[in-house]
């Protein structure tokens, strides 16, 4: 297994259906419960573990998940409300070392609970036509709503696997 991609790289079907979206939303809906179960009782030493040399700590990963979901949620909303808006990239490495990433992980879990609740609510209302709406990422190009929902679910699971690897060491 490549620890950089413990659940594999993001795989998006050629044609994402509303049924696919509903399955993805189930993962997103239960994510914070599973994350909380994994990190709630960790010591500072455990929160400082990494899943590989040079990787982010468990603490940084939890904060990164919240930061990233926030950015992806905003992009999703822009794709649904604007005509193919261009969105900037965010420097994940610089975000990961900001002072707020030393806060208790609970702050990011609470943030994720709200963001994921909003994503799930929004996702349940999507139509087939809306799945094809898109935004243009400054670096990665055109990304559809369907692909973004898939990435929202994958990204959380990807980093939960990283956290579990770090804690198993």
């Amino acid at each position: 297994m490549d620890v950089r991609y413990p659940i594999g790289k993001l795989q998006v079907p050629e044609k994402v259906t509303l049924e696919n979206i509903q399955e993805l939303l189930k993962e997103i809906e239960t994510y914070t419960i599973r994350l909380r179960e994994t990190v709630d009782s960790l010591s500072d030493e455990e929160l400082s573990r990494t899943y590989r040399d040079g990787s982010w700590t468990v603490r940084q990963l939890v904060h990164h998940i919240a930061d990233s979901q926030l950015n992806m949620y905003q992009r999703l909303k822009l794709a649904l409300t604007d005509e193919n808006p261009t969105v900037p990239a965010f420097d994940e490495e610089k975000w990961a070392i900001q002072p707020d990433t030393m806060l208790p992980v609970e702050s990011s879990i609470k943030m994720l609970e709200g963001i994921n609740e909003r994503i799930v609510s929004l996702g349940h209302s999507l139509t087939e036509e809306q799945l094809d709406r898109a935004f243009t990422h400054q670096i990665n190009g055109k990304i559809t709503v369907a692909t973004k929902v898939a990435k929202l679910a994958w990204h959380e699971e990807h980093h939960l696997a990283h956290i579990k690897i770090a804690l198993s060491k």
Side-chain angles (χ1 to χ4, degrees):
M1 170 189 51
D2 181 350
V3 294
R4 292 173 304 157
Y5 298 98
I7 65 168
K9 292 187 178 185
L10 174 63
Q11 302 281 326
V12 180
E14 177 97 16
K15 175 65 177 149
V16 177
T17 66
L18 288 174
E19 291 77 33
N20 297 136
I21 295 295
Q22 297 312 308
E23 290 303 311
L24 294 166
L25 292 174
K26 287 178 188 173
E27 290 179 27
I28 295 169
E29 189 169 34
T30 63
Y31 183 76
T32 53
I33 294 166
R34 293 179 286 121
L35 177 63
R36 190 181 295 283
E37 287 171 351
T38 305
V39 302
D40 236 9
S41 61
L42 297 180
S43 66
D44 277 342
E45 182 273 323
E46 290 168 315
L47 288 167
S48 297
R49 290 184 186 172
T50 60
Y51 62 94
R52 65 181 172 95
D53 287 341
S55 73
W56 290 333
T57 65
V58 170
R59 178 182 289 105
Q60 286 174 308
L61 283 165
V62 173
H63 292 307
H64 164 73
I65 296 162
D67 288 343
S68 191
Q69 292 295 99
L70 175 66
N71 276 280
M72 288 194 283
Y73 171 66
Q74 181 183 29
R75 294 168 183 170
L76 180 65
K77 292 274 287 214
L78 286 168
L80 292 169
T81 58
D82 296 0
E83 288 306 316
N84 193 22
T86 299
V87 301
F90 79 100
D91 189 328
E92 297 174 352
E93 293 296 329
K94 287 181 181 175
W95 280 54
I97 59 171
Q98 294 302 305
D100 62 332
T101 61
M102 293 311 295
L103 285 169
V105 294
E106 180 64 19
S107 64
S108 283
I109 294 172
K110 286 179 183 176
M111 193 169 123
L112 270 170
E113 286 172 338
I115 294 168
N116 282 1
E117 183 177 7
R118 299 279 303 267
I119 291 166
V120 169
S121 175
L122 190 59
H124 284 310
S125 72
L126 291 173
T127 65
E128 291 283 347
E129 296 77 33
Q130 287 175 313
L131 295 181
D132 293 327
R133 290 187 61 90
F135 63 88
T136 300
H137 186 275
Q138 188 176 32
I139 296 169
N140 299 324
K142 183 180 176 180
I143 299 172
T144 65
V145 165
T147 298
K148 183 48 55 187
V149 174
K151 185 160 187 184
L152 281 158
W154 173 86
H155 184 259
E156 289 183 324
E157 301 301 331
H158 166 73
H159 286 308
L160 183 57
H162 283 151
I163 290 167
K164 288 178 178 180
I165 291 168
L167 295 174
S168 71
K169 290 183 169 187

